[in-house]
Every structure is written in structure tokens, then in C-alpha cells.
């Protein structure tokens, strides 16, 4: 836990977040419950925003990558913090606009944006669309022709750097559904194609090298390669990119296997990136591009805690002990998908000594429905409040109604107050779109 996070253990031995006793939150709002720490989210947005000012003279923009957690409240907070957002679907775009988010500060991504999503983006006046296919450029150009306007666009490129949590590799050829490779000429080809489109204003390039990355050097390397590419395109075509969007991917703490980064560390990524871009610009005789970053996980991930109630406890002698909770892969599919690790504690007995290692299972009819494995806990009993930390990113946004379970509600906590930002679902919600055709009646 670090200085921006309001998580602590209070005098009752309960987990506290945002000044709220999590056991009281569980009693008041029920479980499972997503809890979001407003201070943490605002502080992280400010860290990146201020780092662009401090290390790059403010010539840039932070976009919150809203795929990490999308709801009205988070877009409203981003708007209040003066940053932009990235959206990847009509649904995220709709939510942002509904929250009153300024369209000109929205970047639209996606490797296969649907025609109707492009139409929505163009008619809403989305600031920048990141092009990832030839015929997408055609579609945007045609939409703009019909609307009598033009559109700022970036091209998604693959600079040949693939980053993983603690390592990165340089690749000559990229096998990815995203982007155009700089190494095989395809990125330059689409550049020329877009430059010839009358209604598209090509502003520059975007790349995103991965997620949950700690290695600073991987961002630096990607930025350097992107700058080399900008210089090569300028030499060949005369076009000099004005914008460089380096994507997101900054890592967060899930367990003590991960670094616990403070505000200064996150600002440090920007410092390193800005330093490389400036050095490359000087070396290559380029003007400083407008620098964009798109953090998602690191803005909301550590801001979130999920509260569950423990139910069945099953001890399989010589094998393992399962503690089942009232949630599961429908509110957090990340163990099922990626074998992700989490830190778990008993929120109502947070001071007690951990005496065993258990697996936290969900309630779905599926043996892979696990939330976390190998969790050190005091002996859990039915009724304990189980808290899973760092669940703010890619949990709610990847939740489902599998087994017709409810996607849990979410509350935003700050200075001892808690309010819904996502209401609980009802059984009626689950059948809302179901239809019985006449022949089944
Ligand atoms: N920009 C682009 C173009 C992206 O594709 C992503 C994430 C981001 C920004 C934000 O990256 P972040 O700062 O959140 O790492 N569901 C996975 C994560 C998928 C990330 C996809 N792209 C998970 O739960 O780990």
C-alpha cells in the first residue's frame, strides 16, 4: 500500500478504504461489492498530468484508457481532472458522452471498429480516431465527406517492441491483429494512403507495447523506434508527424511479487519517455511531437477492492482448502483467463495472523471458477468478509452475467462517505432483453 492509497487497517482490526470501514460497507451495500477509492483515481490522473507538465513542458495529453473501468462516474472524474480518455467501442464512447465528457478529448481505438461505431464517432465529433485498417481510412473519409468536415487521425504502428511484465523483446516482424509494422514498410504505406485522403488530417502515430509492464526501458525503446520511424517517413515523404501516442501499460501492485510503485515512480516513466523523445528529436532534427500516453490499469487498478462474503469452506486433506465466496469469474475473470495473482485478506479480521494458504473459489458451476490461489489467510469461516485487493482495473469492465449471477454494484468512497456509482442489478434486469416469440407462447 502506498501514499496515494487510503487502504489501512482501523482500530477495530477491519480493512478501511477511503475512510470507510469495509465491514460496514459490506453490511450496508451487500456483497459482492466493488469499492473504488476516489482519491487514488484522482491522484493517479494528476500524477501523469503533472508529469507531462514537469518533464515535457505540458506539450501532451494523458488519456485514461477507459477499457480498464468504464462507467459514468469515472469519465466525470477524468473530465474534472482535465485529462482525455481513450474509448474502444460505441458503448464506451456513449458512456463518455453521456457523462458529459468533451468529445474533442476522446481518442477512439479498435482493430475492427464497426461502420456504425465510426459513424457515431464522426458525428459525435470525437477528437482523434486511431486508424488500424485501410478500409477504415476509407470509411472515415467518406463519413467526413458526407458531413462536410475533416477528422484528425493517428495510425497505429508496431515499433517492434513487445513488453511483458518484467522483460521485453525486440521483434523484426510482428504477429498482431493490431497496427502496421514499421519494419516491413506497411506503416509507411498506410501513411501515404491516408495522406492522400482529402478529409483525413494525419497527426501522427500510436503504439501500445503491452500491459502490466514495469521495465522503463521498454517504453523508452518503443518511443525511440517510433521517433526513428517518424524521421524515416519525413525523409521519404516530407510528412512529419506532430503527435506521438505511446499507449499505456504501466504496471501495478497485485502481490508482493510486483513492485509497489509510488507517485514518483509513475512520474519517472514519463520522465524517461520525455527524455528519450527530446533526445531523439534533437538527434534526428525533428520538432517535439505532442506526447500522448494512455494509462488504464495504473489509474484505477489499485483504487479498487472487491468485498465478498465467505460461504462454504472445503478442506481436502493433503490437497488444498477452498474458501468459496459469493462472487466468482463473473465479477473477476482474470484468474480464469490469465492465472492472475491477487492479495486477499479477511476484512473483518485483518489483524489476525495468517495460519493457512487457501484457494478462493467462486460460486459458478465451473471448476476453473477461481479468484485467487495460494492466499495466506487466518482460518476463514462462513460469514467472513473477504477482500481482494487491486481489482479496480479489468474486473468490472470484464464482468459478465454468467450463470445469471448479478454483476456486482460499485461504490465510490472518499473521506468516509460511500455512494453507488453502479447500482445493483435485479432479476428483472437479467430477463429485460429476453423475448418469448409467439410460437413459444
Ligand atoms: N492503450 C491501448 C491501445 C490498449 O490496448 C491498452 C490496453 C491501454 C492503452 C491501457 O493499458 P493499461 O495501462 O491498462 O495496461 N484485460 C487485460 C488487459 C488488457 C489490456 C488491453 N489494452 C487484463 O486484465 O490484464
Amino acid at each position: 500500500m502506498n501514499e496515494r492509497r487510503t487502504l489501512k487497517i482501523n482500530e477495530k482490526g477491519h480493512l478501511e478504504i477511503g475512510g470507510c470501514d469495509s465491514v460496514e460497507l459490506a453490511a450496508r451495500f451487500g456483497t459482492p461489492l466493488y469499492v473504488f477509492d476516489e482519491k487514488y483515481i484522482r491522484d493517479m490522473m494528476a500524477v501523469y498530468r503533472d508529469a507531462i507538465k514537469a518533464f515535457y513542458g505540458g506539450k501532451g495529453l494523458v488519456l485514461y484508457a477507459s477499457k480498464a473501468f468504464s462507467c459514468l462516474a469515472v469519465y466525470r472524474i477524468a473530465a474534472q481532472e482535465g485529462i482525455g480518455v481513450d474509448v474502444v467501442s460505441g458503448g464506451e464512447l456513449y458512456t463518455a458522452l453521456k457523462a458529459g465528457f468533451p468529445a474533442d478529448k476522446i481518442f477512439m481505438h479498435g482493430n475492427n471498429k464497426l461502420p456504425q461505431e465510426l459513424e457515431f464517432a464522426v458525428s459525435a465529433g470525437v477528437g482523434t480516431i486511431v486508424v488500424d485498417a485501410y478500409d477504415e481510412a476509407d470509411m472515415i473519409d467518406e463519413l467526413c465527406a458526407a458531413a462536410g468536415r475533416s477528422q484528425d487521425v493517428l495510425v497505429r504502428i508496431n515499433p517492434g517492441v513487445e513488453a511483458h511484465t518484467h522483460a521485453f523483446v525486440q521483434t523484426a516482424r510482428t504477429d498482431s491483429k493490431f497496427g502496421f509494422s514499421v519494419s516491413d514498410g506497411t506503416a509507411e504505406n498506410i501513411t501515404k494512403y491516408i495522406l492522400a485522403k482529402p478529409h483525413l488530417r494525419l497527426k501522427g502515430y500510436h503504439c501500445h507495447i503491452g500491459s502490466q509492464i514495469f521495465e522503463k526501458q521498454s517504453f523508452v525503446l518503443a518511443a525511440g523506434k517510433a521517433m526513428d520511424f517518424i524521421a524515416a517517413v519525413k525523409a521519404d515523404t516530407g510528412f512529419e508527424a506532430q503527435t506521438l501516442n505511446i499507449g499505456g501499460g504501466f504496471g501495478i501492485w497485485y502481490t508482493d511479487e510486483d513492485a509497489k510503485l509510488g507517485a514518483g515512480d509513475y512520474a519517472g516513466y514519463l520522465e524517461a519517455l520525455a527524455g528519450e523523445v527530446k533526445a531523439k528529436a534533437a538527434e534526428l532534427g525533428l520538432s517535439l511531437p505532442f506526447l500522448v500516453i494512455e494509462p488504464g490499469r495504473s489509474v484505477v487498478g489499485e483504487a479498487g477492492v472487491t468485498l465478498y462474503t465467505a460461504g462454504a469452506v472445503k478442506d481436502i486433506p493433503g490437497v488444498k482448502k477452498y474458501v468459496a465466496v459469493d462472487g466468482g469469474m463473473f465479477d473477476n475473470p482474470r484468474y480464469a483467463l490469465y492465472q492472475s495473482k491477487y492479495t486477499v485478506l479477511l476484512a473483518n479480521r485483518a489483524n489476525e495472523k495468517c495460519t493457512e494458504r487457501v484457494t478462493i473459489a467462486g460460486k459458478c458451476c465451473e471448476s476453473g471458477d477461481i479468484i485467487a490461489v495460494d492466499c495466506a489467510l487466518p482460518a476463514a469461516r462462513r460469514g467472513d468478509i473477504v477482500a481482494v485487493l487491486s481489482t479496480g482495473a479489468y474486473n468490472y469492465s470484464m464482468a459478465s452475467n454468467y450463470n445469471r449471477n448479478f454483476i456486482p454494484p460499485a461504490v465510490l468512497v472518499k473521506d468516509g462517505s460511500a455512494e453507488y456509482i453502479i447500482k445493483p442489478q435485479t432479476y428483472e434486469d437479467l430477463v429485460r432483453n429476453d423475448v418469448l416469440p409467439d410460437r413459444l407462447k
Side-chain angles (χ1 to χ4, degrees):
M1 304 177 200
N2 59 43
E3 77 275 13
R4 285 149 301 130
R5 190 139 83 165
T6 62
L7 266 190
K8 61 176 195 189
I9 296 169
N10 68 17
E11 63 290 348
K12 289 184 189 158
H14 294 175
L15 180 70
E16 185 180 299
I17 176 167
C20 296
D21 184 313
S22 60
V23 179
E24 287 169 22
L25 289 175
R28 179 172 154 208
F29 295 100
T31 60
L33 180 70
Y34 298 112
V35 184
F36 283 86
D37 178 353
E38 181 174 343
K39 178 177 185 309
Y40 192 96
I41 296 173
R42 286 189 188 275
D43 285 357
M44 280 307 299
M45 290 176 176
V47 163
Y48 289 123
R49 185 193 61 213
D50 296 346
I52 287 192
K53 280 192 200 126
F55 302 116
Y56 205 68
K59 194 182 175 190
L61 184 66
V62 180
L63 308 177
Y64 164 60
S66 64
K67 72 205 74 173
F69 176 54
S70 173
C71 68
L72 293 176
V74 79
Y75 293 109
R76 186 59 67 89
I77 291 172
Q80 289 173 353
E81 292 300 327
I83 66 169
V85 295
D86 105 39
V87 300
V88 293
S89 68
E92 286 184 357
L93 175 57
Y94 179 83
T95 313
L97 295 172
K98 188 100 178 159
F101 201 88
D104 61 320
K105 279 168 116 175
I106 299 178
F107 281 54
M108 176 99 176
H109 281 287
N111 70 302
N112 182 27
K113 300 173 202 73
L114 307 177
Q116 60 270 32
E117 288 175 325
L118 289 173
E119 200 179 327
F120 183 18
V122 169
S123 65
V126 158
T128 306
I129 301 179
V130 182
V131 175
D132 205 352
Y134 275 88
D135 59 353
E136 190 183 308
D138 300 338
M139 284 191 271
I140 302 168
D141 192 54
E142 281 158 26
L143 286 164
C144 289
R149 52 164 293 200
S150 53
Q151 175 68 53
D152 286 356
V153 298
L154 300 180
V155 168
R156 180 159 181 164
I157 59 168
N158 286 317
V161 179
E162 267 175 36
H164 307 279
T165 303
H166 296 291
F168 57 87
V169 284
Q170 296 192 51
T171 51
R173 297 189 75 136
T174 330
D175 173 2
S176 172
K177 69 171 185 170
F178 297 109
F180 295 90
S181 180
V182 300
S183 61
D184 64 5
T186 54
E188 185 163 328
N189 290 342
I190 181 130
T191 298
K192 292 180 192 150
Y193 188 76
I194 290 179
L195 287 171
K197 292 279 174 192
H199 303 280
L200 303 187
R201 282 189 305 257
L202 181 60
K203 291 287 172 181
Y205 299 102
H206 159 75
C207 65
H208 171 77
I209 55 170
S211 199
Q212 183 62 3
I213 301 165
F214 286 98
E215 190 57 66
K216 215 178 265 177
Q217 199 53 29
S218 49
F219 295 104
V220 169
L221 193 64
K225 286 183 180 275
M227 290 297 282
D228 287 337
F229 173 67
I230 289 174
V233 170
K234 186 181 174 191
D236 291 350
T237 69
F239 166 74
E240 182 174 350
Q242 297 162 43
T243 299
L244 176 59
N245 177 342
I246 217 76
F250 311 108
I252 69 165
W253 176 87
Y254 286 101
T255 71
D256 287 336
E257 288 176 17
D258 304 311
K260 208 174 272 184
L261 302 184
D265 300 307
Y266 287 107
Y269 284 109
L270 250 289
E271 185 177 12
L273 256 174
E276 174 70 3
V277 173
K278 283 187 212 163
K280 277 285 184 182
E283 175 196 326
L284 300 165
L286 298 171
S287 43
L288 271 191
F290 187 80
L291 187 62
V292 181
I293 55 161
E294 300 174 333
R297 188 192 308 271
S298 54
V299 174
V300 291
E302 290 187 53
V305 170
T306 308
L307 301 177
Y308 301 99
T309 302
V313 177
K314 193 163 290 175
D315 195 358
I316 309 173
V319 181
K320 64 169 71 120
K321 190 166 180 178
Y322 285 99
V323 175
V325 295
D326 51 357
M329 62 195 291
F330 58 92
D331 64 74
N332 180 0
R334 295 191 71 257
Y335 180 82
L337 285 171
Y338 322 115
Q339 290 75 54
S340 303
K341 294 183 176 166
Y342 283 99
T343 297
V344 178
L345 44 94
L346 296 186
N348 54 325
R349 298 194 276 136
N351 272 335
E352 283 184 28
K353 216 170 142 234
C354 297
T355 52
E356 52 190 35
R357 298 195 90 86
V358 300
T359 292
I360 307 295
K363 67 183 284 291
C364 294
C365 291
E366 182 152 336
S367 34
D369 173 30
I370 301 291
I371 298 281
V373 297
D374 202 25
C375 306
L377 283 185
R381 303 184 284 261
R382 184 177 282 277
D384 279 329
I385 303 301
V386 176
V388 181
L389 308 187
S390 295
T391 57
Y394 305 111
N395 273 227
Y396 173 78
S397 64
M398 294 172 74
S400 74
N401 285 120
Y402 184 45
N403 285 175
R404 292 237 146 167
N405 285 300
F406 296 133
I407 294 175
V411 294
L412 190 65
V413 292
K414 186 166 193 268
D415 300 330
S417 83
E419 279 163 290
Y420 276 128
I421 49 173
I422 296 159
K423 288 190 301 185
Q425 294 186 326
T426 63
Y427 285 131
E428 193 49 40
D429 291 329
L430 299 180
V431 293
R432 188 172 308 284
N433 294 338
D434 291 12
V435 177
L436 279 174
D438 279 344
R439 68 191 161 80
L440 295 184
K441 283 183 185 156

